[in-house]
Every structure is written in C-alpha cells, then in structure tokens.
C-alpha cells in the first residue's frame, strides 16, 4: 500500500473513532500523536571509512554492527556531503537548512550561533513535538528551541565531563559516550508519551584526542590496519594541501593525541597543550589504569630507531587507528543500546532514526587527520536512515544530497510545510523510489576558517557526479579533479590542455550556485 493510500485509510479510521465517541482526546491531539518521532544521532568526526556498512577495508577490521543495523533496516546514503567541513558550521546547517553564510555561523571561532533565528526544533516544537538535545552542541551560545537541553562544555571531555543545563554546570563521572547514552534513555523514560519527540543525541566521540573507554584500551593492540596508498603524499600541484598543518606524523601532538610518555615507563605525557581536558579529568585510579595500559602499548615505539622517520610515521598511523577505532566501538555500543531501547518500548515502528556525523574525516589519506578541505574524505558525510513502513530495507541512495537537506526532509516526513527560506530540499522522494527529474546534479561548498587550527586556506567550489572545481580565493589558486580517473584527488588537472571545456562548465555552475544560494559578493 503506498503512502497516500495509507494516510487516507488512517484518516477515515480516525474520523470513525472520533465519531463513535471512543476517544477522550481531541482530533488535533490524535493527529499529533500519529506523527513520527525523530531520533537524530550525530557523532563528531566519524569518517565514512570507519563504518562497516560502507565496506571500507579499515572498517572490516573494526566493524560497527549496531550502526549497520540502521542501514540494513533502512537506507544507506553513499553521496551525502556537507557544505562546510567543520563541526560548528555543519551543526548550524543541520538546525537551519541553510548554508553557513545564511545562518551566520561560518567558523568554529564565531562569537556564537544566532539562536533567535528559525530552526528545525523551533518549528517542530510549535507543532506539538517535545524537543531535546543531549551531548555535543559546540555552537557557543545556549541552545534555543528545545524543551530540554544538557550539553557538553565546548568540545567536551572523554572522562568525567561537565554538562551544562539551563540551571547550572555539573560534572558527571564516567565515560562520555556511556553518559550521553544513559542520559538519552533516561530522558526517553521521562518523556510525555502522548506527544511525538525530536531528540538529538550528539556524541563527542570520535573527536580528537580519541581516548577509548577503559574496557577498550587493548581492543586493537594486535590489529594492523591498512595504510592509505597516499599516506606519504608530497602534495605536488596542490598549494593549499602543501601548507596545511594536519599531518599525522608531523603535526599530531605526541602526548595529547598519541599518548606517548616522555620516557619509557614514565607517568608523564609528551606535549599536551590541553592537559585539563585529558589527564586532568581523570581520577587517580583512572590515571593508574591508563598508564598501566599505555606503558605496555608504547613499548614498541621506544624500540624504534629514532632516525627511522618512515617507521615512526607508520607507527603513529597505527596508534591513531587503534585509538580512533576503539573510541568508535563505544559509539557502536551506544547505538545498539538505543535501538534495543526503542524495540523494548514499542517505539521502533513510529520512530525515524538517523545516524550521521557532522562531516567526514581523514584516516591517513594524504597523511592527514582532521577535515576542512573540500576533498572527498572530509566533504563526505556518513548518513543512514530507517523508518519502518516508509523506507525500504537495504536501500542505497547514490543521488547527491547535502546537510542543508536534513531539516526539509524531517519536516516533510512529519507533514509540515518547508519554509521558503530553507535552502535544502527534502530527499524523501529519493527514499520512496520517486526521484524528481530535476534533482540536483551539483553541490556547493565553502570553507571560511583561516587563519585557524591546521592552517587550511579558505576555499569554495562545486562538485558534480564526476568533477570537482576548487578555488582557494585568497591565494588565487584553482584545482580541478576528475573523480572517475583520480578518486583520491592526487592530480590537479586545472589549466592542462584538454580541460578547457569542463573547466568552463564547472566555473559557470559554480557561479550559478553562488547566485542560487545568494552568496554575498565579499564571499566570492
């Protein structure tokens, strides 16, 4: 039975129920009750390569079976992208359905998100939804439009983090991923069962500095993860890539990021610029457990020849992967707990469950960690959605989608009008086998934060199914990539003989997108 027929029968039954006097609720209350709940799970910096549903070799050695449950019982998006690959701006886009220049939050260093503007939770709240966010916020200003919020301070800490509410700031003892999971279940227990909910469960993990839960300290000690072929990229022909400061073996902090001690067996970290958010959050007992684990794990590093830079670079990659993927293990456990909760409480059938991250992340590609660039690994966002009865099981969506589309899609599914000033489009038709003929063929991207962490230059660009054009506008440097022939974006073909036609086409499309999205002249 199709969606329209289902809605028609539901309406007739509702009218009969009301007419016969079997309902103590008003019709409006019944309509609200029939709307789906939305559980929006967002992690921070979770690379698509680290989700086993996507099939990357890394994830096959560190599978995510619970996250995969959402994909297998719903839809997996393979071409979902962000418009500005950095934490705060991506979150602002999810809330507003608008690109960074329109919602005003373009950099993590902004003074704060403008909470007076229209947002998705505000619209849902005005239409009968309970709204809440638990976990990472990272938008500087206090949340608005939520009935309940309990957020991490800034980036948050892995051990014994502070949580901020409308009333106060309280330290909670435990591992951050576990705490957010328990808080989410507790809130679901206390919700008003007569109203639908929109709940954002936002994990800190797997953001830097990748501190696993104690139970996972040794999870991947004996696993050797495959290193990307371009780990030792020399960045030839890509000026901005040569200027970045996000290289694993040159720029990672050996104490903070890699957990190396100053000397073998010494309980003191090498360089750590933020000790208050790492070891400073641990109890004495937790520190003892940490050092016992990492002294053993660090032994192989101290056996290396200090002059062997290649061996050291490879060791650092393995340590990064072991910690990063161990942190994700806790996230996968969290997702499993929440999905089980929905099943056990009869909520699965009427809850639209979303899993995504605020952007992609580098797991050694080009020698990097972090994000920011318009290159594939950081522009690609993982996305999977399930909604039984509305989204078929095992569906794969390869059409170009973007985080500006999230808010319009959720409004579409709950039957509310999409505001004209939202710049995204509902991708509900893509999930119901009715892709519009005029669905987008290109995407716009714009990164603003320079100077800033990792020294990635400002740039904007356009991507279609095959090509990507990037302009680093303060340096007047262009890059063009053929993603079919060069999927790892190693060969900048801009200006080469034979690329004139595609360059002209992509340049025109870039200008058209800037006009469409009303990008100010001083941002072009």
């Amino acid at each position: 039975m199709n969606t329209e027929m289902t809605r028609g029968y539901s309406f007739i039954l509702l009218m009969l129920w009301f007419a016969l006097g079997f309902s103590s609720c008003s019709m409006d209350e019944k309509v609200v009750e029939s709307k789906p709940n939305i559980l929006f799970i967002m992690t921070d910096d979770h690379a698509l390569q680290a989700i086993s549903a996507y099939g990357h070799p890394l994830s096959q050695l560190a599978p995510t079976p619970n996250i995969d449950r959402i994909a297998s019982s719903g839809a997996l998006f393979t071409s979902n992208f962000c418009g500005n690959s950095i934490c705060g701006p991506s979150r602002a886009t999810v809330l507003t359905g608008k690109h960074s220049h329109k919602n005003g939050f373009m950099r993590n260093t902004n003074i704060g998100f403008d909470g007076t503007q229209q947002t998705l939770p505000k619209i849902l709240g005005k239409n009968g939804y309970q709204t809440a966010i638990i976990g990472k916020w990272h938008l500087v200003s206090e949340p608005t439009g939520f009935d309940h919020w309990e957020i991490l301070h800034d980036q948050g800490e892995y051990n014994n983090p502070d949580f901020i509410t409308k009333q106060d700031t309280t330290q909670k003892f435990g591992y951050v991923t576990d705490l957010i999971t328990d808080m989410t279940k507790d809130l679901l227990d206390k919700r008003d069962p007569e109203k639908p909910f929109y709940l954002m469960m936002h994990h800190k993990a797997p953001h830097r500095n990748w501190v696993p839960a104690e139970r996972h300290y040794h999870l991947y000690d004996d696993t050797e993860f495959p290193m990307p072929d371009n780990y030792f990229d020399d960045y030839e022909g890509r000026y901005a890539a040569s200027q970045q400061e996000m290289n694993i073996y040159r720029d990672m902090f050996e104490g903070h990021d890699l957990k190396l001690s100053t000397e073998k067996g010494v309980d003191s970290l090498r360089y750590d610029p933020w000790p208050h958010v790492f070891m400073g959050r641990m109890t004495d007992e937790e520190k003892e457990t940490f050092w016992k684990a990492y002294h053993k794990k660090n032994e192989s590093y101290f056996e290396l020849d200090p002059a062997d830079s290649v061996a050291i670079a490879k060791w650092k990659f393995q340590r990064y992967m072991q910690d990063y993927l161990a942190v994700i293990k806790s996230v996968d456990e969290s997702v499993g707990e929440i999905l089980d909760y929905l099943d056990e409480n009869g909520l699965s059938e009427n809850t639209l469950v979303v899993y995504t991250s605020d952007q992609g992340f580098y797991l050694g590609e080009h020698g990097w960690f972090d994000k920011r660039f318009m290159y594939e690994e950081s522009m690609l966002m993982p996305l999977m959605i399930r909604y039984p009865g509305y989204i078929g099981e095992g569906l794969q969506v390869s059409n170009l989608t973007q985080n500006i589309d999230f808010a319009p899609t959720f409004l579409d599914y709950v039957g509310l009008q999409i505001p004209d000033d939202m710049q995204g489009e509902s991708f509900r038709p893509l999930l119901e086998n009715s892709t519009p003929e005029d669905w987008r063929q290109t995407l716009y991207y714009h990164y603003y934060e320079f100077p800033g962490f990792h020294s990635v230059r400002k740039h904007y660009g356009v991507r279609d199914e095959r090509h990507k054009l990037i302009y680093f506008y303060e340096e007047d440097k262009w890059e063009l990539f053929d993603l079919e022939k060069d999927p790892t974006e190693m060969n900048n073909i801009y200006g080469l003989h034979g690329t004139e036609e595609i360059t002209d086409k992509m340049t025109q499309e870039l200008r058209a997108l800037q006009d469409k999205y009303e990008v100010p002249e001083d941002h072009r």
Side-chain angles (χ1 to χ4, degrees):
M1 186 179 293
N2 64 36
T3 302
E4 295 303 320
M5 291 176 67
T6 301
R7 287 178 174 171
Y9 283 123
S10 297
F11 181 74
I12 292 170
L13 289 172
L14 176 60
M15 293 301 291
L16 287 171
W17 186 271
F18 181 75
L20 292 171
F22 291 123
S23 175
S24 61
C25 301
S26 70
M27 188 185 303
D28 287 343
E29 287 172 331
K30 275 293 182 183
V31 171
V32 168
E33 187 179 345
S34 69
K35 289 184 177 181
N37 306 306
I38 302 174
L39 176 61
F40 184 82
I41 307 171
M42 177 179 271
T43 44
D44 195 316
D45 296 344
H46 193 175
L48 180 148
Q49 309 93 286
I51 298 176
S52 46
Y54 284 100
H56 191 279
L58 272 175
S59 64
Q60 304 313 294
L61 296 174
T64 52
N66 291 302
I67 296 172
D68 294 354
R69 285 166 61 184
I70 302 173
S72 62
S73 58
L76 181 75
F77 287 68
T78 58
S79 298
N80 181 64
F81 297 85
C82 62
N84 183 0
S85 182
I86 189 168
C87 302
S90 180
R91 293 162 193 273
T93 292
V94 169
L95 287 171
T96 62
K98 300 175 183 178
H99 280 293
S100 299
H101 65 276
K102 278 293 187 180
N103 65 53
F105 201 89
M106 297 176 286
R107 309 168 184 84
N108 275 345
T109 52
N110 277 25
I111 59 173
F113 177 71
D114 176 11
T116 66
Q117 66 184 298
Q118 168 189 273
T119 63
L120 173 66
K122 286 182 181 180
I123 297 172
L124 293 175
K126 290 177 181 177
N127 286 275
Y129 272 75
Q130 301 166 91
T131 59
I133 180 169
I134 294 176
K136 182 123 180 213
W137 173 244
H138 204 221
L139 289 170
V140 188
S141 58
E142 289 188 351
T144 58
F146 295 95
D147 300 316
H148 176 88
W149 52 270
E150 198 160 1
I151 59 172
L152 292 165
H153 173 66
D154 193 38
Q155 299 284 3
E157 301 91 12
Y158 277 105
N159 295 88
N160 312 317
D162 290 336
F163 282 90
I164 305 169
T165 66
K166 296 177 183 178
Q167 290 75 37
D168 55 25
T169 298
T170 305
Q171 184 177 18
K172 292 182 181 287
F173 286 86
Y175 186 66
V176 66
T177 305
D178 300 341
L179 290 170
I180 291 170
T181 306
D182 291 342
M183 292 160 65
T184 299
K185 291 191 293 184
D186 183 60
L187 185 62
L188 287 170
D189 283 338
K190 296 175 180 177
R191 79 190 192 283
D192 180 352
E194 298 300 317
K195 294 182 178 181
F197 62 80
Y198 175 69
L199 173 55
M200 305 180 85
M201 182 174 80
H202 283 198
H203 282 299
K204 169 190 172 63
H207 191 277
R208 188 182 191 181
N209 64 334
W210 318 293
V211 182
E214 287 184 4
R215 63 186 178 274
H216 299 315
Y217 275 169
H218 296 290
L219 184 62
Y220 296 119
D221 284 2
D222 299 323
T223 304
E224 183 172 349
F225 292 101
M227 195 169 66
D229 292 339
N230 59 357
Y231 184 62
F232 292 105
D233 192 349
D234 62 5
Y235 315 118
E236 181 181 358
R238 290 153 289 148
Y239 171 79
S242 71
Q243 299 299 304
Q244 48 68 39
E245 296 175 359
M246 47 192 255
N247 185 282
I248 293 169
Y249 48 91
R250 287 199 298 264
D251 301 314
M252 268 192 178
F253 299 138
E254 291 188 332
H256 184 77
D257 297 321
L258 297 169
K259 291 85 173 176
L260 283 168
S261 54
T262 52
E263 296 178 53
K264 185 177 180 179
V266 175
D267 292 359
S268 176
L269 285 173
R270 295 190 180 190
Y271 183 60
D272 179 8
W274 304 293
H276 58 290
V277 301
F278 181 16
M279 297 290 286
R281 303 299 297 194
M282 293 185 182
T283 63
D284 289 342
E285 183 179 354
E286 288 169 339
K287 289 177 183 177
E288 183 178 351
T289 303
F290 171 86
W291 282 119
K292 182 179 180 180
Y294 276 85
H295 282 323
K296 181 178 180 181
K297 292 158 64 74
N298 288 341
E299 286 178 0
S300 59
Y301 176 84
F302 288 103
E303 293 170 358
L304 297 174
D305 179 353
D308 191 342
S309 60
V310 172
I312 290 173
K314 291 180 177 179
W315 186 95
K316 290 182 175 181
F317 169 77
Q318 293 299 331
R319 167 55 55 83
Y320 172 36
M321 288 300 93
Q322 289 164 2
D323 283 349
Y324 180 91
L325 293 166
V327 165
I328 288 171
K329 181 65 175 178
S330 296
V331 173
D332 190 66
E333 292 169 346
S334 167
V335 172
E337 283 191 47
I338 295 298
L339 294 180
D340 290 346
Y341 179 98
L342 297 179
D343 289 343
E344 293 161 4
N345 289 274
L347 292 169
S348 293
E349 292 302 308
N350 196 42
T351 300
L352 191 156
V353 179
V354 182
Y355 186 89
T356 189
S357 185
D358 45 5
Q359 67 269 314
F361 211 65
Y362 293 99
L363 302 185
E365 298 87 3
H366 305 285
W368 295 340
F369 65 103
D370 209 69
K371 55 264 185 180
R372 302 168 196 268
F373 279 107
M374 193 184 168
Y375 304 135
E376 290 293 275
E377 290 84 4
S378 49
M379 189 181 176
L380 263 172
M381 297 172 67
L383 177 64
M384 52 198 73
I385 302 178
R386 82 172 195 191
Y387 185 18
Y390 290 84
I391 299 173
E393 295 185 0
L395 179 67
Q396 286 205 6
V397 179
S398 60
N399 306 79
L400 296 178
T401 58
Q402 203 162 22
N403 54 354
I404 54 173
D405 300 329
F406 290 8
T409 301
F410 301 156
L411 291 174
D412 192 1
Y413 268 109
V414 305
L416 294 175
Q417 184 175 353
I418 300 167
D420 291 338
D421 61 348
M422 282 191 175
Q423 296 181 310
E425 303 289 337
S426 169
F427 51 67
R428 180 176 177 178
L430 308 183
L431 296 167
E432 298 180 359
N433 298 314
S434 56
T435 303
E437 291 184 3
D438 61 349
W439 187 258
R440 72 164 65 90
Q441 301 298 308
T442 58
L443 297 167
Y444 180 67
Y445 182 92
H446 199 143
Y447 174 79
Y448 298 87
E449 191 170 298
F450 182 82
F453 279 116
H454 304 301
S455 295
V456 174
R457 271 49 178 180
K458 297 176 184 178
H459 57 289
Y460 56 68
V462 58
R463 185 201 191 278
D464 66 13
E465 293 284 357
R466 176 170 176 174
H467 293 94
K468 184 183 294 182
L469 180 68
I470 309 173
Y471 183 46
F472 296 90
Y473 50 92
E474 291 190 342
E475 288 77 22
D476 192 25
K477 301 285 187 181
W478 289 89
E479 294 180 2
L480 176 66
F481 297 97
D482 184 333
L483 299 173
E484 183 178 296
K485 295 180 178 178
D486 178 28
T488 57
E489 296 163 293
M490 296 287 288
N491 303 305
N492 177 15
I493 59 175
Y494 184 84
L496 297 185
H497 179 69
T499 64
E500 295 85 359
E501 184 176 345
I502 188 61
T503 299
D504 182 60
K505 175 188 173 184
M506 294 293 284
T507 302
Q508 290 185 42
E509 183 60 24
L510 174 60
R511 302 309 178 201
L513 288 178
Q514 289 179 322
D515 290 342
K516 175 182 177 179
Y517 294 129
E518 299 178 337
V519 179
E521 287 298 326
D522 59 351
H523 290 168
R524 301 195 189 192

